[in-house]
PDB file of all heavy atoms in Angstrom:
ATOM      1  N   SER A   1       0.208   2.260   6.157  1.00 88.00           N
ATOM      2  CA  SER A   1      -0.026   3.705   6.126  1.00 88.00           C
ATOM      3  C   SER A   1      -0.868   4.166   4.940  1.00 88.00           C
ATOM      4  O   SER A   1      -1.326   5.304   4.932  1.00 88.00           O
ATOM      5  CB  SER A   1       1.309   4.452   6.109  1.00 88.00           C
ATOM      6  OG  SER A   1       2.011   4.179   4.914  1.00 88.00           O
ATOM      7  N   LEU A   2      -1.091   3.317   3.951  1.00 90.00           N
ATOM      8  CA  LEU A   2      -1.893   3.712   2.791  1.00 90.00           C
ATOM      9  C   LEU A   2      -3.351   3.329   2.998  1.00 90.00           C
ATOM     10  O   LEU A   2      -3.655   2.292   3.572  1.00 90.00           O
ATOM     11  CB  LEU A   2      -1.366   3.026   1.523  1.00 90.00           C
ATOM     12  CG  LEU A   2       0.057   3.384   1.134  1.00 90.00           C
ATOM     13  CD1 LEU A   2       0.504   2.533  -0.037  1.00 90.00           C
ATOM     14  CD2 LEU A   2       0.173   4.841   0.812  1.00 90.00           C
ATOM     15  N   GLY A   3      -4.250   4.159   2.541  1.00 90.00           N
ATOM     16  CA  GLY A   3      -5.668   3.845   2.612  1.00 90.00           C
ATOM     17  C   GLY A   3      -6.401   4.639   3.669  1.00 90.00           C
ATOM     18  O   GLY A   3      -5.880   5.606   4.229  1.00 90.00           O
ATOM     19  N   PRO A   4      -7.644   4.214   3.956  1.00 90.00           N
ATOM     20  CA  PRO A   4      -8.501   4.949   4.880  1.00 90.00           C
ATOM     21  C   PRO A   4      -7.938   4.999   6.299  1.00 90.00           C
ATOM     22  O   PRO A   4      -7.301   4.053   6.765  1.00 90.00           O
ATOM     23  CB  PRO A   4      -9.809   4.153   4.866  1.00 90.00           C
ATOM     24  CG  PRO A   4      -9.764   3.314   3.651  1.00 90.00           C
ATOM     25  CD  PRO A   4      -8.328   3.071   3.358  1.00 90.00           C
ATOM     26  N   ILE A   5      -8.199   6.118   6.978  1.00 89.00           N
ATOM     27  CA  ILE A   5      -7.796   6.285   8.379  1.00 89.00           C
ATOM     28  C   ILE A   5      -9.002   6.760   9.189  1.00 89.00           C
ATOM     29  O   ILE A   5      -9.954   7.308   8.648  1.00 89.00           O
ATOM     30  CB  ILE A   5      -6.632   7.280   8.526  1.00 89.00           C
ATOM     31  CG1 ILE A   5      -6.998   8.642   7.925  1.00 89.00           C
ATOM     32  CG2 ILE A   5      -5.361   6.746   7.906  1.00 89.00           C
ATOM     33  CD1 ILE A   5      -5.963   9.719   8.181  1.00 89.00           C
ATOM     34  N   ASP A   6      -8.955   6.544  10.502  1.00 86.00           N
ATOM     35  CA  ASP A   6     -10.031   7.017  11.366  1.00 86.00           C
ATOM     36  C   ASP A   6      -9.756   8.451  11.810  1.00 86.00           C
ATOM     37  O   ASP A   6      -8.779   9.066  11.394  1.00 86.00           O
ATOM     38  CB  ASP A   6     -10.239   6.083  12.559  1.00 86.00           C
ATOM     39  CG  ASP A   6      -9.042   6.017  13.498  1.00 86.00           C
ATOM     40  OD1 ASP A   6      -8.118   6.844  13.377  1.00 86.00           O
ATOM     41  OD2 ASP A   6      -9.046   5.129  14.374  1.00 86.00           O
ATOM     42  N   SER A   7     -10.594   8.992  12.674  1.00 90.00           N
ATOM     43  CA  SER A   7     -10.455  10.386  13.110  1.00 90.00           C
ATOM     44  C   SER A   7      -9.197  10.619  13.940  1.00 90.00           C
ATOM     45  O   SER A   7      -8.757  11.752  14.097  1.00 90.00           O
ATOM     46  CB  SER A   7     -11.690  10.815  13.910  1.00 90.00           C
ATOM     47  OG  SER A   7     -11.815  10.003  15.073  1.00 90.00           O
ATOM     48  N   GLN A   8      -8.601   9.557  14.459  1.00 91.00           N
ATOM     49  CA  GLN A   8      -7.369   9.647  15.240  1.00 91.00           C
ATOM     50  C   GLN A   8      -6.116   9.525  14.370  1.00 91.00           C
ATOM     51  O   GLN A   8      -5.008   9.624  14.866  1.00 91.00           O
ATOM     52  CB  GLN A   8      -7.345   8.551  16.312  1.00 91.00           C
ATOM     53  CG  GLN A   8      -8.551   8.527  17.211  1.00 91.00           C
ATOM     54  CD  GLN A   8      -8.548   9.703  18.162  1.00 91.00           C
ATOM     55  OE1 GLN A   8      -7.513  10.025  18.725  1.00 91.00           O
ATOM     56  NE2 GLN A   8      -9.689  10.332  18.324  1.00 91.00           N
ATOM     57  N   GLY A   9      -6.314   9.252  13.076  1.00 88.00           N
ATOM     58  CA  GLY A   9      -5.187   9.074  12.159  1.00 88.00           C
ATOM     59  C   GLY A   9      -4.665   7.651  12.091  1.00 88.00           C
ATOM     60  O   GLY A   9      -3.612   7.392  11.523  1.00 88.00           O
ATOM     61  N   ASN A  10      -5.397   6.698  12.661  1.00 87.00           N
ATOM     62  CA  ASN A  10      -4.995   5.292  12.645  1.00 87.00           C
ATOM     63  C   ASN A  10      -5.560   4.604  11.400  1.00 87.00           C
ATOM     64  O   ASN A  10      -6.699   4.850  11.017  1.00 87.00           O
ATOM     65  CB  ASN A  10      -5.522   4.574  13.885  1.00 87.00           C
ATOM     66  CG  ASN A  10      -4.983   5.167  15.156  1.00 87.00           C
ATOM     67  OD1 ASN A  10      -3.802   5.451  15.264  1.00 87.00           O
ATOM     68  ND2 ASN A  10      -5.863   5.376  16.124  1.00 87.00           N
ATOM     69  N   PRO A  11      -4.771   3.718  10.780  1.00 87.00           N
ATOM     70  CA  PRO A  11      -5.276   3.013   9.595  1.00 87.00           C
ATOM     71  C   PRO A  11      -6.412   2.068   9.967  1.00 87.00           C
ATOM     72  O   PRO A  11      -6.327   1.355  10.967  1.00 87.00           O
ATOM     73  CB  PRO A  11      -4.060   2.251   9.086  1.00 87.00           C
ATOM     74  CG  PRO A  11      -3.154   2.118  10.253  1.00 87.00           C
ATOM     75  CD  PRO A  11      -3.413   3.312  11.134  1.00 87.00           C
ATOM     76  N   ILE A  12      -7.481   2.078   9.163  1.00 86.00           N
ATOM     77  CA  ILE A  12      -8.602   1.164   9.401  1.00 86.00           C
ATOM     78  C   ILE A  12      -8.731   0.134   8.292  1.00 86.00           C
ATOM     79  O   ILE A  12      -9.538  -0.777   8.383  1.00 86.00           O
ATOM     80  CB  ILE A  12      -9.931   1.929   9.571  1.00 86.00           C
ATOM     81  CG1 ILE A  12     -10.246   2.784   8.346  1.00 86.00           C
ATOM     82  CG2 ILE A  12      -9.913   2.765  10.825  1.00 86.00           C
ATOM     83  CD1 ILE A  12     -11.623   3.415   8.374  1.00 86.00           C
ATOM     84  N   GLY A  13      -7.927   0.285   7.235  1.00 87.00           N
ATOM     85  CA  GLY A  13      -7.974  -0.661   6.129  1.00 87.00           C
ATOM     86  C   GLY A  13      -9.196  -0.458   5.265  1.00 87.00           C
ATOM     87  O   GLY A  13      -9.995   0.447   5.487  1.00 87.00           O
ATOM     88  N   GLY A  14      -9.317  -1.301   4.267  1.00 88.00           N
ATOM     89  CA  GLY A  14     -10.447  -1.208   3.342  1.00 88.00           C
ATOM     90  C   GLY A  14     -10.751  -2.548   2.726  1.00 88.00           C
ATOM     91  O   GLY A  14     -10.041  -3.520   2.955  1.00 88.00           O
ATOM     92  N   ASN A  15     -11.797  -2.580   1.914  1.00 87.00           N
ATOM     93  CA  ASN A  15     -12.215  -3.845   1.312  1.00 87.00           C
ATOM     94  C   ASN A  15     -11.742  -4.016  -0.131  1.00 87.00           C
ATOM     95  O   ASN A  15     -12.089  -4.983  -0.780  1.00 87.00           O
ATOM     96  CB  ASN A  15     -13.734  -3.999   1.394  1.00 87.00           C
ATOM     97  CG  ASN A  15     -14.479  -2.896   0.667  1.00 87.00           C
ATOM     98  OD1 ASN A  15     -13.874  -1.995   0.087  1.00 87.00           O
ATOM     99  ND2 ASN A  15     -15.787  -2.957   0.710  1.00 87.00           N
ATOM    100  N   PHE A  16     -10.946  -3.083  -0.633  1.00 91.00           N
ATOM    101  CA  PHE A  16     -10.441  -3.169  -2.008  1.00 91.00           C
ATOM    102  C   PHE A  16      -8.975  -2.741  -2.019  1.00 91.00           C
ATOM    103  O   PHE A  16      -8.641  -1.643  -1.581  1.00 91.00           O
ATOM    104  CB  PHE A  16     -11.263  -2.266  -2.927  1.00 91.00           C
ATOM    105  CG  PHE A  16     -10.877  -2.367  -4.372  1.00 91.00           C
ATOM    106  CD1 PHE A  16     -11.203  -3.487  -5.114  1.00 91.00           C
ATOM    107  CD2 PHE A  16     -10.187  -1.348  -4.984  1.00 91.00           C
ATOM    108  CE1 PHE A  16     -10.839  -3.588  -6.454  1.00 91.00           C
ATOM    109  CE2 PHE A  16      -9.821  -1.433  -6.315  1.00 91.00           C
ATOM    110  CZ  PHE A  16     -10.153  -2.558  -7.055  1.00 91.00           C
ATOM    111  N   LEU A  17      -8.110  -3.628  -2.476  1.00 91.00           N
ATOM    112  CA  LEU A  17      -6.668  -3.377  -2.521  1.00 91.00           C
ATOM    113  C   LEU A  17      -6.189  -3.463  -3.959  1.00 91.00           C
ATOM    114  O   LEU A  17      -6.527  -4.407  -4.675  1.00 91.00           O
ATOM    115  CB  LEU A  17      -5.921  -4.417  -1.687  1.00 91.00           C
ATOM    116  CG  LEU A  17      -4.405  -4.507  -1.837  1.00 91.00           C
ATOM    117  CD1 LEU A  17      -3.735  -3.248  -1.304  1.00 91.00           C
ATOM    118  CD2 LEU A  17      -3.870  -5.739  -1.131  1.00 91.00           C
ATOM    119  N   VAL A  18      -5.412  -2.476  -4.384  1.00 92.00           N
ATOM    120  CA  VAL A  18      -4.768  -2.526  -5.687  1.00 92.00           C
ATOM    121  C   VAL A  18      -3.297  -2.148  -5.487  1.00 92.00           C
ATOM    122  O   VAL A  18      -2.992  -1.165  -4.811  1.00 92.00           O
ATOM    123  CB  VAL A  18      -5.457  -1.604  -6.724  1.00 92.00           C
ATOM    124  CG1 VAL A  18      -5.445  -0.162  -6.294  1.00 92.00           C
ATOM    125  CG2 VAL A  18      -4.819  -1.745  -8.086  1.00 92.00           C
ATOM    126  N   TYR A  19      -2.410  -2.998  -5.979  1.00 90.00           N
ATOM    127  CA  TYR A  19      -0.987  -2.688  -5.885  1.00 90.00           C
ATOM    128  C   TYR A  19      -0.224  -3.450  -6.964  1.00 90.00           C
ATOM    129  O   TYR A  19      -0.703  -4.446  -7.505  1.00 90.00           O
ATOM    130  CB  TYR A  19      -0.428  -2.992  -4.494  1.00 90.00           C
ATOM    131  CG  TYR A  19      -0.163  -4.460  -4.213  1.00 90.00           C
ATOM    132  CD1 TYR A  19       1.114  -4.984  -4.323  1.00 90.00           C
ATOM    133  CD2 TYR A  19      -1.180  -5.306  -3.830  1.00 90.00           C
ATOM    134  CE1 TYR A  19       1.363  -6.309  -4.056  1.00 90.00           C
ATOM    135  CE2 TYR A  19      -0.952  -6.628  -3.560  1.00 90.00           C
ATOM    136  CZ  TYR A  19       0.324  -7.128  -3.669  1.00 90.00           C
ATOM    137  OH  TYR A  19       0.565  -8.450  -3.410  1.00 90.00           O
ATOM    138  N   GLY A  20       0.943  -2.946  -7.266  1.00 91.00           N
ATOM    139  CA  GLY A  20       1.794  -3.591  -8.253  1.00 91.00           C
ATOM    140  C   GLY A  20       3.252  -3.299  -7.959  1.00 91.00           C
ATOM    141  O   GLY A  20       3.589  -2.257  -7.398  1.00 91.00           O
ATOM    142  N   ASN A  21       4.090  -4.242  -8.303  1.00 90.00           N
ATOM    143  CA  ASN A  21       5.527  -4.120  -8.107  1.00 90.00           C
ATOM    144  C   ASN A  21       6.228  -4.533  -9.386  1.00 90.00           C
ATOM    145  O   ASN A  21       5.798  -5.469 -10.057  1.00 90.00           O
ATOM    146  CB  ASN A  21       6.011  -5.042  -6.986  1.00 90.00           C
ATOM    147  CG  ASN A  21       5.223  -4.913  -5.726  1.00 90.00           C
ATOM    148  OD1 ASN A  21       4.180  -5.533  -5.611  1.00 90.00           O
ATOM    149  ND2 ASN A  21       5.692  -4.147  -4.794  1.00 90.00           N
ATOM    150  N   MET A  22       7.294  -3.831  -9.713  1.00 93.00           N
ATOM    151  CA  MET A  22       8.110  -4.201 -10.860  1.00 93.00           C
ATOM    152  C   MET A  22       9.561  -3.943 -10.487  1.00 93.00           C
ATOM    153  O   MET A  22       9.894  -2.895  -9.928  1.00 93.00           O
ATOM    154  CB  MET A  22       7.734  -3.370 -12.084  1.00 93.00           C
ATOM    155  CG  MET A  22       8.521  -3.758 -13.322  1.00 93.00           C
ATOM    156  SD  MET A  22       7.995  -2.871 -14.808  1.00 93.00           S
ATOM    157  CE  MET A  22       8.521  -1.216 -14.427  1.00 93.00           C
ATOM    158  N   GLY A  23      10.424  -4.900 -10.768  1.00 93.00           N
ATOM    159  CA  GLY A  23      11.839  -4.743 -10.462  1.00 93.00           C
ATOM    160  C   GLY A  23      12.696  -5.354 -11.547  1.00 93.00           C
ATOM    161  O   GLY A  23      12.310  -6.327 -12.192  1.00 93.00           O
ATOM    162  N   VAL A  24      13.851  -4.755 -11.746  1.00 95.00           N
ATOM    163  CA  VAL A  24      14.816  -5.248 -12.724  1.00 95.00           C
ATOM    164  C   VAL A  24      16.154  -5.409 -12.014  1.00 95.00           C
ATOM    165  O   VAL A  24      16.661  -4.469 -11.390  1.00 95.00           O
ATOM    166  CB  VAL A  24      14.974  -4.254 -13.902  1.00 95.00           C
ATOM    167  CG1 VAL A  24      16.025  -4.742 -14.870  1.00 95.00           C
ATOM    168  CG2 VAL A  24      13.656  -4.041 -14.598  1.00 95.00           C
ATOM    169  N   VAL A  25      16.717  -6.621 -12.079  1.00 92.00           N
ATOM    170  CA  VAL A  25      18.030  -6.876 -11.490  1.00 92.00           C
ATOM    171  C   VAL A  25      19.076  -6.542 -12.532  1.00 92.00           C
ATOM    172  O   VAL A  25      19.068  -7.092 -13.642  1.00 92.00           O
ATOM    173  CB  VAL A  25      18.164  -8.343 -11.031  1.00 92.00           C
ATOM    174  CG1 VAL A  25      19.541  -8.592 -10.455  1.00 92.00           C
ATOM    175  CG2 VAL A  25      17.084  -8.687 -10.016  1.00 92.00           C
ATOM    176  N   LEU A  26      19.971  -5.634 -12.183  1.00 89.00           N
ATOM    177  CA  LEU A  26      21.005  -5.173 -13.104  1.00 89.00           C
ATOM    178  C   LEU A  26      22.302  -5.943 -12.871  1.00 89.00           C
ATOM    179  O   LEU A  26      22.605  -6.321 -11.742  1.00 89.00           O
ATOM    180  CB  LEU A  26      21.242  -3.678 -12.902  1.00 89.00           C
ATOM    181  CG  LEU A  26      19.995  -2.800 -13.046  1.00 89.00           C
ATOM    182  CD1 LEU A  26      20.300  -1.384 -12.610  1.00 89.00           C
ATOM    183  CD2 LEU A  26      19.490  -2.833 -14.471  1.00 89.00           C
ATOM    184  N   PRO A  27      23.076  -6.165 -13.927  1.00 85.00           N
ATOM    185  CA  PRO A  27      24.349  -6.863 -13.749  1.00 85.00           C
ATOM    186  C   PRO A  27      25.335  -5.988 -12.967  1.00 85.00           C
ATOM    187  O   PRO A  27      25.328  -4.763 -13.071  1.00 85.00           O
ATOM    188  CB  PRO A  27      24.848  -7.096 -15.175  1.00 85.00           C
ATOM    189  CG  PRO A  27      24.129  -6.098 -16.003  1.00 85.00           C
ATOM    190  CD  PRO A  27      22.830  -5.814 -15.323  1.00 85.00           C
ATOM    191  N   SER A  28      26.145  -6.649 -12.159  1.00 82.00           N
ATOM    192  CA  SER A  28      27.143  -5.933 -11.368  1.00 82.00           C
ATOM    193  C   SER A  28      28.508  -6.073 -12.026  1.00 82.00           C
ATOM    194  O   SER A  28      28.948  -7.174 -12.338  1.00 82.00           O
ATOM    195  CB  SER A  28      27.199  -6.498  -9.952  1.00 82.00           C
ATOM    196  OG  SER A  28      28.208  -5.853  -9.223  1.00 82.00           O
TER     197      SER A  28
END
């Protein structure tokens, strides 16, 4: 769902992707 879409609202993707994830596991 992220990035460029066509005139119908469908994702068309792109040639450049940037993303990052960070997570911390907490003690239970």
Side-chain angles (χ1 to χ4, degrees):
S1 65
L2 298 174
I5 57 173
D6 64 12
S7 61
Q8 306 288 317
N10 299 316
I12 58 172
N15 60 0
F16 184 73
L17 168 67
V18 60
Y19 77 99
N21 310 84
M22 182 175 68
V24 177
V25 179
L26 304 171
S28 177

